[in-house]
Amino acid sequence: MKKSLSKIAFLAVMSIALAACKKNGDNEKTVISAPLRVVGQPITGTTLPLKDAQGNAIPLKGTMLAGKTYDITGDVTVNAGDTLYIQPGVMIQVHGDGLTAASSPTFYVNGTLVSDGTKEAPNTFTVFETATVKKSVGFKDDVPNDPAFKGYWGGIQCGPTAKLLFLRWTRLEYLGAPWGSNAGDYGATAGDAKFGIYMNSGANSAGKLIVEDSWFYGSKDDCIGKCANIFVSIMRNTFIKTGGTGGEGVNFKDNVFGDMAYNLSFGGATNGLKTASVNGKSTIVNIYNNTLVQCGFRQTKATRNGSINTETNTGGYIYNNIVVNCKSGLRITYQSEKGKASDTLNTSYGNSLTCIGRGTPMGGTEQYMVFIEPGQFTLKRSTDLNGYVNGQILTTGSAAGTNIGTNTASDSLKYDPLFVNYDVKANSTGRNYRVSEIPAGTDFHLKTGSPAIGAGVYPGGTGKNAMPNKATAPLLAQYGFPMKVASTGGTFNPTITPPNKDLGAFPTDGSGNQHRY
């Protein structure tokens, strides 16, 4: 039989771990487990950071060991050229209160950080609970008091020399502590809430942000926020309670290239997934096979959307997504409060489903949901499943290419994706659609008969299922679908799941998001 996880942790620095022998008919075979990786020296002290003789924090490098709990009592720095590697099954407890930068530790990465959790032994970054620092238990729709939005610690902030941030099977919670005097070094202002993850390579060689099979729970503002000048692969993750009264699950800015796929975003303040560059700089991120539920309702400002949003000079292949009970479906922006037009030339989209629940005509004080926001570039494609009727496309003037379509009120339940355990109608009535906590037992897999089954583009598909090819789009041709740009060329490479014949993050073949709720 296999060694238990606790034994693996105890023998973490052994060169080889042997499992017991077992017979297979007349053949006896020995299973040899691969040794746990050690990068540099093991970190055996469990209260960090260590201090030098003058009381200054010593930068951290080496390997956090499987099975250990580490208490973080001050800011942690990983120097340029150094690596902090975290074996599977590590608990990191940050002693923070979210009141000031000094009392809310942050990980500052100028080199490489790899959290190498596994499905059987995930890693966790969370807050150390005290009498005054409480975790979120039983809060569903109470933003002012919910600890999920308190921002107890400062997350992971990557400087311009950071080469790689890789999170695999890792849970991050209670993000968003305030910036202090070093805010300007990260494009922020003192007092602003820190993003859970921030990475900007600036003029340096582009760093790599790879996040796989991980969970994000609770952030004061953006969870992965305003990253720029990097390559990305954001695959098979779950984002819950991202943003208090504003903020995105993922928010990429200029010169970002890569993929976001098979992610679940539930109860986000604004968008689950957003790209927004600046004039003169491009961002191309493929956004496919994601599931977004009950997002957009804590952001009261207009023109902020509520599920998937692309803005200034951003594009990519956007396919196979499911949007349910969100403020709005896909938005390819003509005009918004903070951004100008999306890069429509380098955008290709379709084969997605949007359902807004209710079961009664839209309208009234509780109904804010629409399939597509009129007056933008977004059109309903022939391969889409939603109740939008395209309007006349303007051909002249500054708004050329936009349309003022209409949302069909009677179609509010017509496009139910038939999740295994989530009642679209029940969760769209009263204030249920404003709940930001996933109810226990919810299952976003697709039932037999779901219209989302077999509705996606995928390699080898034909007709409506054929992989898109937009020959007129130079950047789409250059980067491909999916992309390979986040490959490190070394040990830590992303595991990219290609588009599936089913829509959403939980296809029926089991190849997508592996999380359960």
Side-chain angles (χ1 to χ4, degrees), residues 138-454:
F139 287 89
K140 297 180 180 181
D141 179 23
D142 183 12
V143 175
N145 297 308
D146 191 341
F149 306 115
K150 297 298 184 185
Y152 287 136
W153 65 288
I156 303 173
Q157 310 298 321
C158 298
T161 61
K163 297 299 183 184
L164 174 66
L165 174 58
F166 195 151
L167 305 180
R168 175 188 285 135
W169 288 100
T170 297
R171 185 177 179 94
L172 278 77
E173 303 176 330
Y174 306 102
L175 304 156
W179 278 104
S181 59
N182 64 338
D185 296 338
Y186 296 84
T189 301
D192 287 351
K194 292 173 180 171
F195 305 132
I197 290 175
Y198 173 82
M199 191 176 199
N200 186 344
S201 294
N204 297 321
S205 298
K208 309 286 178 62
L209 174 60
I210 303 171
V211 185
E212 297 181 348
D213 302 296
S214 293
W215 302 263
F216 296 84
Y217 182 85
S219 63
K220 198 164 188 176
D221 202 319
D222 292 353
C223 190
I224 300 178
K226 296 186 178 178
C227 300
N229 302 298
I230 59 173
F231 295 125
V232 301
S233 181
I234 312 297
M235 289 273 162
R236 304 175 304 276
N237 305 290
T238 295
F239 298 87
I240 305 171
K241 292 187 176 181
T242 53
T245 56
E248 328 283 351
V250 180
N251 185 359
F252 288 138
K253 295 301 183 183
D254 52 297
N255 286 329
V256 176
F257 300 89
D259 300 285
M260 291 194 282
Y262 297 93
N263 302 292
L264 171 70
S265 183
F266 188 97
T270 316
N271 296 286
L273 307 172
K274 177 182 175 180
T275 55
S277 189
V278 295
N279 286 331
K281 295 183 180 180
S282 293
T283 280
I284 303 295
V285 177
N286 299 323
I287 305 173
Y288 64 94
N289 277 102
N290 300 284
T291 296
L292 301 101
V293 183
Q294 295 181 204
C295 295
F297 298 106
R298 293 195 301 279
Q299 175 59 266
T300 58
K301 294 180 181 179
T303 69
R304 294 297 185 95
N305 202 36
S307 60
I308 299 173
N309 189 28
T310 71
E311 292 187 9
T312 313
N313 275 3
T314 61
Y317 287 103
I318 307 174
Y319 284 83
N320 297 6
N321 300 294
I322 292 179
V323 177
V324 171
N325 286 344
C326 289
K327 196 172 188 178
S328 176
L330 171 64
R331 182 210 221 184
I332 300 169
T333 303
Y334 155 64
Q335 190 174 28
S336 68
E337 181 182 350
K338 289 192 173 183
K340 297 184 180 179
S342 302
D343 182 355
T344 55
L345 172 60
N346 288 292
T347 298
S348 177
Y349 64 99
N351 296 73
S352 292
L353 178 152
T354 304
C355 180
I356 60 174
R358 273 292 185 257
T360 56
M362 292 179 288
T365 58
E366 293 179 344
Q367 176 63 63
Y368 300 97
M369 306 175 198
V370 295
F371 296 107
I372 292 176
E373 179 187 335
Q376 304 292 340
F377 287 120
T378 323
L379 294 166
K380 179 178 180 178
R381 302 300 196 192
S382 62
T383 55
D384 285 334
L385 301 170
N386 67 61
Y388 189 70
V389 178
N390 296 329
Q392 181 179 1
I393 300 174
L394 301 182
T395 57
T396 60
S398 61
T402 64
N403 81 104
I404 305 295
T406 56
N407 288 278
T408 307
S410 58
D411 278 359
S412 62
L413 270 175
K414 182 177 179 180
Y415 301 99
D416 188 339
L418 299 180
F419 293 133
V420 168
N421 187 16
Y422 176 91
D423 187 324
V424 172
K425 181 178 180 180
N427 283 287
S428 67
T429 56
R431 287 187 61 88
N432 292 343
Y433 62 96
R434 292 179 175 271
V435 168
S436 55
E437 186 79 58
I438 300 179
T442 298
D443 190 338
F444 294 108
H445 285 83
L446 305 172
K447 291 180 183 177
T448 300
S450 166
I453 295 176

